[in-house]
Amino acid sequence: MRPILMKGHERPLTFLKYNREGDLLFSCAKDHNPTVWFADNGERLGTYRGHNGAVWCCDVSRDSMQLITASADQSVKLWNVQTGAQLYTFSFNSPARSVDFSVGDKLAVITTDPFMGVTSAINVKRIADDPSQQSGESVLTITGPAGRINRAVWGPLNRTIISAGEDCVVRIWDSETGKLLKESEPEVGHKKPISSLTKSADGSHFLTGSLDKSAKLWDSRTLTLIKNYTTERPVNAVTMSPLLDHVVLGGGQDASSVTTTDHRAGKFEAKFYDKILQEEIGGVKGHFGPINALAFNPDGKSFSSGGEDGYVRLHHFDPDYFNIKI
């Protein structure tokens, strides 16, 4: 399995996202320019220029027509995927951290950071069919969680919003009223800030990764803890296979403490775990810095990782990957 090295970012990667067909890969980094690549050969298609700060997160509509990006420049932008044109800019009073389109792409949930006395918030925006009719009004604004909310995604049928962040708690909110429905118990929840959250292909369960060196699998409706995966390093990114029962964790030390540890080349690896048995089944080495982003192709036959080293590594699995037995 020789990875395809995709060099296009000058700063650390922050987020990776495939479109629904799995033929395009969108990458976000701290260099202000979200980039789109062909997902089969890693060829760069183009960049979306217009942000003025690190881009933390992105999402692409179901028809691959619109891209939405959240940036530290206190804005969230809508783009035309094909032409790279900016369609609309949502402005906030603090850096935007995460974005997620609802099922049907009519709504987007956006989280903003605490900043200069402003608390962190979860905002729901209505996405117009015609970009010229787009308005910046929030349908719903939720505040409450302390610290940064690193990720918020839509729950089943868009009825709920699932959020997680620096206060180590996973919360489920009613997406109509903004009422808090459930939150994870301190006994079963993470002990340190939650860095990442990703849903399964069918949305029935989701995975959280945390700096407490573990990842946890939760039920999307009941917030029951299903599984727990422990590793040796803080987890910065998580993803799961849509095809097999595999969970992938990526991480490494914080960028600032990397230099104090051994510098063997490419020691930072994406670790594969059996989703059911919670056992490690392998790892993919290669990055020269912590892994900040992971994404599985919707067909389950390839995955990509983005690192602090500014590279995206695209891995197409060998046939024997599909026959791993424990």
Side-chain angles (χ1 to χ4, degrees):
M1 185 168 79
R2 290 208 47 202
I4 300 171
L5 236 66
M6 293 144 66
K7 182 68 177 150
H9 289 290
E10 291 154 18
R11 300 277 322 278
L13 270 286
T14 54
F15 198 77
L16 291 168
K17 177 84 184 176
Y18 284 92
N19 66 343
R20 184 173 58 103
E21 284 82 20
D23 60 338
L24 299 176
L25 174 63
F26 296 86
S27 61
C28 301
K30 293 184 183 176
D31 63 4
H32 312 181
N33 296 325
T35 301
V36 59
W37 316 76
F38 277 121
D40 58 344
N41 59 4
E43 185 185 333
R44 180 156 78 161
L45 260 169
T47 55
Y48 299 89
R49 295 184 178 265
H51 275 302
N52 215 355
V55 181
W56 292 119
C57 188
C58 70
D59 197 10
V60 57
S61 61
R62 186 179 163 87
D63 59 6
S64 301
M65 296 294 280
Q66 288 192 347
L67 176 72
I68 189 168
T69 55
S71 168
D73 65 7
Q74 308 191 355
S75 76
V76 167
K77 288 185 190 287
L78 277 170
W79 310 82
N80 179 320
V81 167
Q82 202 171 357
T83 63
Q86 287 185 45
L87 301 176
Y88 192 80
T89 301
F90 298 100
S91 297
F92 297 94
N93 297 328
S94 64
R97 176 68 48 175
S98 100
V99 286
D100 192 49
F101 276 128
S102 63
V103 175
D105 301 328
K106 294 272 190 281
L107 299 166
V109 62
I110 300 167
T111 67
T112 54
D113 287 355
F115 182 72
M116 304 283 285
V118 183
T119 58
S120 58
I122 301 171
N123 299 280
V124 177
K125 303 282 189 189
R126 189 163 272 116
I127 305 294
D129 293 331
D130 178 1
S132 60
Q133 308 286 309
Q134 183 65 49
S135 90
E137 297 294 309
S138 286
V139 188
L140 175 70
T141 303
I142 304 171
T143 54
R148 253 190 359 230
I149 304 168
N150 284 330
R151 194 91 174 94
V153 296
W154 293 93
L157 301 176
N158 298 344
R159 286 187 183 153
T160 55
I161 292 168
I162 303 165
S163 74
E166 284 192 333
D167 62 0
C168 320
V169 182
V170 180
R171 293 183 175 83
I172 297 185
W173 311 84
D174 185 305
S175 61
E176 291 281 328
T177 62
K179 199 167 115 245
L180 179 61
L181 301 176
K182 295 187 174 66
E183 55 183 9
S184 58
E185 302 290 332
E187 298 82 57
V188 298
H190 285 291
K191 305 291 181 271
K192 285 189 176 172
I194 297 169
S195 57
S196 49
L197 186 160
T198 184
K199 289 187 291 189
S200 62
D202 63 359
S204 64
H205 52 286
F206 65 94
L207 184 64
T208 54
S210 164
L211 305 183
D212 65 8
K213 304 180 184 168
S214 76
K216 293 178 190 288
L217 196 68
W218 310 82
D219 184 290
S220 299
R221 293 174 193 273
T222 61
L223 199 56
T224 315
L225 180 65
I226 308 171
K227 298 285 178 185
N228 191 36
Y229 312 93
T230 52
T231 168
E232 304 84 68
R233 301 202 185 96
V235 178
N236 298 344
V238 291
T239 186
M240 49 188 139
S241 168
L243 192 64
L244 303 173
D245 287 323
H246 291 172
V247 163
V248 189
L249 313 184
Q253 304 88 332
D254 203 25
S256 53
S257 59
V258 166
T259 48
T260 60
T261 55
D262 68 331
H263 55 272
R264 283 200 310 277
K267 144 178 112 62
F268 297 93
E269 60 179 343
K271 287 190 189 282
F272 281 69
Y273 285 77
D274 187 287
K275 191 193 257 184
I276 315 289
L277 303 175
Q278 307 176 37
E279 288 172 28
E280 191 179 331
I281 50 181
V284 179
K285 292 188 170 65
H287 279 285
F288 290 88
I291 294 174
N292 294 340
L294 285 169
F296 242 101
N297 193 310
D299 68 4
K301 295 177 181 166
S302 63
F303 87 107
S304 55
S305 57
E308 192 74 25
D309 54 8
Y311 282 97
V312 180
R313 297 173 77 92
L314 176 62
H315 307 263
H316 288 278
F317 293 119
D318 295 334
D320 52 355
Y321 161 79
F322 301 99
N323 305 317
I324 296 176
K325 299 278 186 288
I326 292 202

